[in-house]
Amino acid sequence: MADFVTIEKGLGPEGRIAVVRFDRGDGINALSPEALRQLTDAARSFEDDAGTSVVVLTGGKDAFSAGFDLKDPEGRARRTMDLGALRRHLKLGPRLTHAWHEMEQITIGAIEGFCVGGGVALAVALDFRVMGRDAHLRVPEIGLGMNMSWQSIPRMLHLIGPARTKQAVILADQRISADEAYEWGLVEEVADPGYAFDAAMALAAKVAAQPPLSVAMTKLTVNRLAHALDDLASHMDVDQFAFASMSEDHKEGVAAFLERRKPRFTGR
């Protein structure tokens, strides 16, 4: 398997910053099942790392991520899986976002180019997001006949409120610019194009200079309070996604995407 993820540790003040770089080298950076596994393993590799206080996650220079890879052979095999196998395979995404959300270290996303679908799901699982001014976000799942899952809805709701969450998710073709994302509260900082990573590292240095134990415990307290009901609210994510994936609208949405045409949904 190709290595899509690299990890560099020992950076910044007292060597307390790490960088995780996800880059498939194709300018798209789609999340294939194998990429999901590698990114999950990367997050879990910090579980016993007492020397790292901050982890910066960055994509390629042209794209943070285009979302789930609809052309990947393993991903497309979902169409022929029985319901049990499908439910197990669909847990790859929630497992990824959970691993990053639950990290003890502060996590910062550096977003350039575009961040779409599953890329947004990963980004909102982080503590902070820095975005290049010419970058954009988009949540296309509903336009593909799917529901937004990976526990993304509760996380977006905490960040931007119910109306903006509905706007971002239901209006699937809408591009959310960096300035709009900042205004809404989806990102904490907007940087000059090409400098999102530098800005993220500057923010990481500020965090890394703080007492590590106090930072970690504060993050845990805030997350537990803010996300206490998230599991209750989104425990059906996987099943809803599996159910939607069996609809005619989902088949039409994916076919239209691959054929570069407008879909014709029927509600079936």
Side-chain angles (χ1 to χ4, degrees), residues 36 40 78 89-98 150:
L36 295 177
T40 301
R78 289 176 172 178
H89 200 271
L90 289 176
K91 292 179 181 178
L92 287 172
R95 194 175 293 144
L96 163 70
T97 56
H98 179 79
W150 302 5

Side-chain angles (χ1 to χ4, degrees), residues 145-158:
M146 301 182 287
N147 66 304
M148 186 63 174
S149 60
W150 302 5
Q151 211 171 62
S152 305
I153 297 294
R155 293 183 181 123
M156 292 178 69
L157 187 64
H158 293 307

Side-chain angles (χ1 to χ4, degrees), residues 32-74:
S32 64
E34 178 57 25
L36 295 177
R37 294 185 185 100
Q38 290 186 23
L39 281 163
T40 301
D41 290 342
R44 289 175 173 170
S45 72
F46 291 95
E47 287 178 355
D48 297 316
D49 184 351
T52 300
S53 297
V54 192
V55 178
V56 175
L57 174 63
T58 186
K61 63 182 179 65
D62 298 316
F64 184 76
S65 175
F68 188 75
D69 191 348
L70 294 174
K71 297 181 181 180
D72 181 81
E74 183 183 350

Side-chain angles (χ1 to χ4, degrees), residues 110-112 129-135 178-179 182 187-200:
I111 301 169
E112 294 283 2
R129 289 147 294 279
V130 178
M131 195 169 173
R133 192 171 301 279
D134 60 348
D179 288 337
Y182 178 77
V187 301
E188 284 66 46
E189 187 175 344
V190 175
D192 288 337
Y195 288 90
F197 177 74
D198 292 339

Side-chain angles (χ1 to χ4, degrees), residues 61-218:
K61 63 182 179 65
D62 298 316
F64 184 76
S65 175
F68 188 75
D69 191 348
L70 294 174
K71 297 181 181 180
D72 181 81
E74 183 183 350
R76 298 188 72 177
R78 289 176 172 178
R79 294 179 297 177
T80 59
M81 292 179 182
D82 60 59
L83 183 58
L86 178 61
R87 290 182 75 250
R88 287 189 292 273
H89 200 271
L90 289 176
K91 292 179 181 178
L92 287 172
R95 194 175 293 144
L96 163 70
T97 56
H98 179 79
W100 280 90
H101 181 81
E102 289 295 312
M103 287 174 62
E104 185 168 289
Q105 292 82 4
I106 294 294
T107 54
I108 305 172
I111 301 169
E112 294 283 2
F114 51 84
C115 180
V116 180
V120 175
L122 175 56
V124 298
L126 307 176
D127 295 307
F128 303 111
R129 289 147 294 279
V130 178
M131 195 169 173
R133 192 171 301 279
D134 60 348
H136 71 268
L137 309 174
R138 189 164 64 87
V139 185
E141 274 74 5
I142 282 185
L144 295 169
M146 301 182 287
N147 66 304
M148 186 63 174
S149 60
W150 302 5
Q151 211 171 62
S152 305
I153 297 294
R155 293 183 181 123
M156 292 178 69
L157 187 64
H158 293 307
L159 290 170
I160 61 178
R164 289 298 193 192
T165 299
K166 292 173 188 174
Q167 182 177 354
V169 176
I170 294 175
L171 301 181
D173 290 334
Q174 178 179 5
R175 288 188 174 190
I176 303 169
S177 69
D179 288 337
E180 286 174 324
Y182 178 77
E183 179 187 345
W184 292 9
L186 265 176
V187 301
E188 284 66 46
E189 187 175 344
V190 175
D192 288 337
Y195 288 90
F197 177 74
D198 292 339
M201 289 296 287
L203 176 58
K206 294 178 183 178
V207 175
Q210 305 302 319
L213 293 178
S214 298
V215 170
M217 288 188 290
T218 299

